[in-house]
């Protein structure tokens, strides 16, 4: 069927072998998340703890999270973004980064190699 947005939606009663979803990490935009005036640079950090991740994914399979793509997102003030991953307090290789972020060029970036984040 085609809905009012113009998207063509397809659905099937046959269960797919793999499912995909989206996990959002970072900082929720609110009145309390502001960049101080007259700053030449400012670092804003968001964290997703293991406890938070376990609660959010409590109904998922224990095989971990298979990351195959990321979407770096910021509003106009964003200049550089990175997604860091820690396991047992040891930093793993970056999942993604962009040191010349452009608000007008935001798209999913497929990883060269899928990464599994263990719960």
């Amino acid at each position: 069927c085609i809905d009012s947005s113009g998207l063509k939606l397809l659905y099937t009663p046959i269960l797919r072998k793999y499912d995909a979803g989206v996990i959002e990490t970072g900082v929720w935009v609110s009145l309390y998340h502001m960049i101080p005036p007259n700053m030449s640079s400012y670092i804003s950090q968001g964290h997703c703890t293991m406890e938070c991740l376990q609660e959010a994914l409590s109904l998922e399979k224990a095989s971990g999270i298979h990351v195959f793509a990321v979407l770096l997102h910021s509003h106009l003030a964003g200049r550089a973004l990175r997604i860091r991953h820690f396991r047992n307090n040891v930093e793993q290789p970056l999942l993604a980064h962009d040191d010349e972020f452009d608000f007008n060029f935001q798209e999913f970036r497929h990883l060269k190699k899928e990464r599994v984040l263990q719960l």
Side-chain angles (χ1 to χ4, degrees):
C1 80
I2 297 180
D3 71 359
S4 62
S5 70
L7 294 175
K8 184 176 183 179
L9 305 174
L10 303 174
Y11 53 92
T12 177
I14 301 168
L15 186 62
R16 310 268 179 180
K17 183 175 179 180
Y18 300 105
D19 287 328
V22 175
I23 296 177
E24 294 181 26
T25 62
V27 178
W28 187 259
V29 177
S30 74
L31 294 174
Y32 303 105
H33 180 229
M34 293 183 268
I35 298 173
N38 303 316
M39 299 288 292
S40 60
S41 67
Y42 184 77
I43 296 175
S44 176
Q45 299 180 16
H47 300 269
C48 182
T49 64
M50 180 60 75
E51 294 79 15
C52 176
L53 201 55
Q54 286 173 335
E55 181 178 336
L57 299 173
S58 62
L59 300 176
E60 298 296 324
K61 296 178 183 175
S63 65
I65 302 167
H66 296 255
V67 181
F68 59 90
V70 298
L71 172 67
L72 297 171
H73 171 74
S74 180
H75 293 245
L76 292 171
R79 296 291 179 257
L81 301 169
R82 56 189 65 225
I83 300 176
R84 299 167 68 194
H85 172 217
F86 292 83
R87 181 179 293 136
N88 299 322
N89 294 321
V90 176
E91 186 166 9
Q92 306 299 307
L94 287 172
L95 280 168
H97 73 282
D98 187 341
D99 292 328
E100 297 182 20
F101 179 76
D102 183 346
F103 173 82
N104 296 304
F105 187 69
Q106 298 185 54
E107 65 180 7
F108 279 97
R109 300 163 189 222
H110 293 270
L111 303 182
K112 292 179 181 175
K113 183 178 179 186
E114 182 179 281
R115 297 265 300 273
V116 179
L117 309 184
Q118 298 295 331
L119 299 179

